[in-house]
Amino acid sequence: SLVMLDADGEAMGVYRKSHIPDGPGYQEKYYFRPGDTGFKVWDTRFGKVGVGICWDQWYPETARAMMLQGAEVLMYPTAIGTEPHDDSLDTAAPWQRAMQGHAVSNVVPVVGANRIGHEQVTEAGQTFYGHSFIANHRGDLVESFGRDDEGVLVASFDLDFLDRHRAAWGFFRDRRTDLYGPLTGTKRV
């Protein structure tokens, strides 16, 4: 769960993770239920912020749902690292590229925050691979950390420019919702 705080520290609300993974090393379905809040966007002092947690970031529907609610920035706090079943599998690059894709296809800045360090909860343990970043509306990294870096990343964006640029691309104007039935289980023939 995440509590969104505004610039003055006021609690604005809670988002509970919607997508719960069930795979080697990520068997969260045995411990957690999917969130009951739906996707959330908060109108903060500095802009409208949508947040997905960890596994939520792999789903393009999460990003689009928040954008349709008026998000101007997407944020994804995450805890991902080496795969406990195969320590040679490094998914840092695909993790980052998936969110950069959300930035491009929604013309929105995206912030990916990931933990670092090693946790020995199983024999293999897990090493979290950092690489927190901020991507602009084109998916370009404007600020980023490496595997072991910790700190705070900051970037500024012109939200009016982004709103005009998003409208010019037409991704939301030209949507064909009449064809999206398979996404919701209401298949169109």
Side-chain angles (χ1 to χ4, degrees):
S1 294
L2 173 138
V3 175
M4 177 60 72
L5 303 177
D6 207 348
D8 62 2
E10 174 192 352
M12 301 182 77
V14 173
Y15 169 67
R16 300 188 195 290
K17 184 175 173 179
S18 296
H19 298 93
I20 308 296
D22 181 18
Y26 297 97
Q27 297 164 329
E28 295 180 17
K29 287 187 180 188
Y30 292 102
Y31 308 103
F32 305 111
R33 287 189 305 264
D36 58 359
T37 60
F39 301 117
K40 306 285 277 190
V41 172
W42 289 278
D43 193 4
T44 74
R45 182 182 305 169
F46 296 104
K48 294 180 178 114
V49 179
V51 178
I53 298 173
C54 206
W55 193 238
D56 289 332
Q57 75 89 26
W58 293 99
Y59 296 85
E61 296 88 353
T62 302
R64 185 53 55 98
M66 292 186 290
M67 293 303 296
L68 290 171
Q69 292 178 61
E72 296 171 310
V73 174
L74 300 179
M75 299 177 75
Y76 294 97
T78 307
I80 190 169
T82 56
E83 302 300 326
H85 69 287
D86 181 354
D87 63 3
S88 70
L89 183 60
D90 187 332
T91 57
W95 167 79
Q96 193 172 72
R97 281 195 302 267
M99 288 182 277
Q100 288 174 277
H102 300 326
V104 173
S105 61
N106 290 288
V107 192
V108 66
V110 171
V111 178
N114 191 28
R115 66 181 285 197
I116 62 170
H118 185 79
E119 192 170 284
Q120 195 71 44
V121 296
T122 65
E123 185 178 324
Q126 186 171 26
T127 302
F128 297 92
Y129 48 59
H131 290 289
S132 296
F133 69 92
I134 300 173
N136 68 13
H137 63 288
R138 296 170 39 92
D140 301 323
L141 296 184
V142 295
E143 296 292 339
S144 62
F145 281 142
R147 187 169 295 272
D148 299 314
D149 296 334
E150 56 182 280
V152 177
L153 297 172
V154 178
S156 296
F157 297 97
D158 180 336
L159 299 180
D160 291 330
F161 164 81
L162 291 173
D163 188 50
R164 288 189 309 274
H165 198 64
R166 192 176 304 114
W169 270 98
F171 293 151
F172 296 88
R173 176 194 64 230
D174 298 337
R175 292 172 67 238
R176 289 287 312 275
T177 57
D178 59 314
L179 301 177
Y180 301 162
L183 294 175
T184 61
T186 55
K187 190 175 182 179
R188 180 174 185 238
V189 181

